[in-house]
Amino acid sequence: MDLNELKIKLKEIKDQGEIETLRSGNTGVGYTLECLLGIEENNDSSADIDGTIELKAKRKGSSARTTSFTQSPIWLKKTREIVKKYGWEDKEKTERINFYPSLNYNNPTPQGLYLKVKGKELFIMGKDDEALCSLPLEVLQFRFRQKFVNLMMVMADRKKERGQPERFHFNEAYYCTNITPKSVTKLLKEGKMVLEFRIWMDKETGRLRDRGMAVRLSSKWTKSLFENVERII
């Protein structure tokens, strides 16, 4: 399916009106749209349509953040020491220390962690201006451009009545192209981009489980990454 075919199909789906979700839960809106478009569900990093277009479906009014990608930073301190100093005990699995901070610019966490940009580098800072890890801004910008070569963002009104499956009306869509490096840095510095670490450590053995640093963004800001935004429906 190419871009023109996609545009036609989205208009046809809009004309169908409300459609019952094909899967319960948060992923229902995306899964239902993929099924209507005849797109096979995938969890890899490749684009969903024609190898060049990433498809995103969102419920209107939702401010929930979604993970754009995960990226390992350059660690400047030993990870175990960081987890010991800035982590906290898991309430359910008390043998674990969790390091799951949610970081956005100019907003320090209760543990004293914050983000700092110096030159062309993004730093994750700790107490007493301790640099814990870093990430070149060029890497952050490249990963966004790699993930969203082109983006088709489809918005849906939702209806949920008690005891009934959720229903969607896919009635708004935007085709977004050309992410600019400046826009990535701007969203970061405006505090609209969130970095979340997903690390835990076993207290007894010191074993680490590191699932990477997730870069997360609310759908209402995603369009701001792009220089060109065309409304399709």
Side-chain angles (χ1 to χ4, degrees):
M1 176 165 46
D2 62 20
L3 177 59
N4 287 331
E5 291 173 315
L6 175 60
K7 289 179 178 180
I8 291 169
K9 285 193 173 186
L10 287 174
K11 290 173 183 176
E12 291 173 347
I13 290 170
K14 176 188 175 183
D15 291 342
Q16 291 180 43
E18 291 182 0
I19 296 167
E20 186 176 304
T21 186
L22 299 175
R23 174 188 286 172
S24 61
N26 292 336
T27 61
V29 62
Y31 179 74
T32 301
L33 180 61
E34 287 177 344
C35 291
L36 292 169
L37 290 169
I39 298 171
E40 193 171 321
E41 187 176 27
N42 72 78
N43 295 310
D44 59 31
S45 59
S46 60
D48 298 303
I49 299 165
D50 200 26
T52 62
I53 303 172
E54 183 77 11
L55 180 70
K56 289 288 183 185
K58 303 291 180 185
R59 297 168 175 85
K60 289 185 184 180
S62 172
S63 59
R65 301 186 187 101
T66 57
T67 299
S68 298
F69 53 84
T70 58
Q71 174 66 45
S72 296
I74 300 167
W75 292 102
L76 305 174
K77 302 288 183 180
K78 291 183 178 179
T79 311
R80 283 185 177 82
E81 296 306 313
I82 293 172
V83 174
K84 287 178 183 178
K85 186 172 182 178
Y86 295 100
W88 54 90
E89 185 179 275
D90 190 302
K91 292 181 180 180
E92 296 181 358
K93 300 179 179 179
T94 55
E95 73 279 8
R96 293 183 180 182
I97 301 176
N98 292 336
F99 184 66
Y100 294 161
S102 184
L103 300 162
N104 61 335
Y105 210 74
N106 292 328
N107 188 15
T109 71
Q111 296 79 28
L113 302 166
Y114 64 98
L115 301 178
K116 177 180 179 179
V117 172
K118 185 177 181 181
K120 296 182 178 181
E121 201 91 2
L122 169 64
F123 291 90
I124 287 80
M125 307 294 293
K127 299 172 184 175
D128 303 318
D129 291 327
E130 177 185 29
L132 306 179
C133 58
S134 68
L135 185 69
L137 288 173
E138 287 184 349
V139 172
L140 186 66
Q141 294 158 356
F142 170 77
R143 289 303 310 277
F144 268 106
R145 295 178 72 183
Q146 181 186 48
K147 175 65 176 178
F148 301 119
V149 178
N150 302 297
L151 172 68
M152 184 65 78
M153 178 176 286
V154 183
M155 315 296 290
D157 283 319
R158 65 182 295 267
K159 182 183 288 185
K160 182 68 171 74
E161 297 178 351
R162 183 177 234 176
Q164 298 296 317
E166 193 173 14
R167 299 184 67 84
F168 302 115
H169 185 197
F170 298 97
N171 56 10
E172 194 173 329
Y174 299 88
Y175 183 53
C176 310
T177 60
N178 193 24
I179 284 182
T180 64
K182 182 188 288 188
S183 66
V184 174
T185 305
K186 185 173 184 287
L187 284 180
L188 171 69
K189 289 186 173 182
E190 288 176 346
K192 295 169 181 174
M193 189 180 301
V194 176
L195 308 182
E196 294 183 354
F197 288 88
R198 301 172 176 183
I199 304 173
W200 61 263
M201 183 179 72
D202 187 287
K203 288 181 185 177
E204 186 173 334
T205 65
R207 182 171 70 92
L208 281 176
R209 175 69 185 272
D210 185 352
R211 296 175 57 202
M213 180 180 71
V215 179
R216 293 168 61 80
L217 198 62
S218 170
S219 59
K220 66 180 178 179
W221 305 122
T222 302
K223 293 201 301 291
S224 302
L225 289 167
F226 296 87
E227 186 174 32
N228 306 313
V229 178
E230 175 191 359
R231 182 160 183 173
I232 304 302
I233 56 174

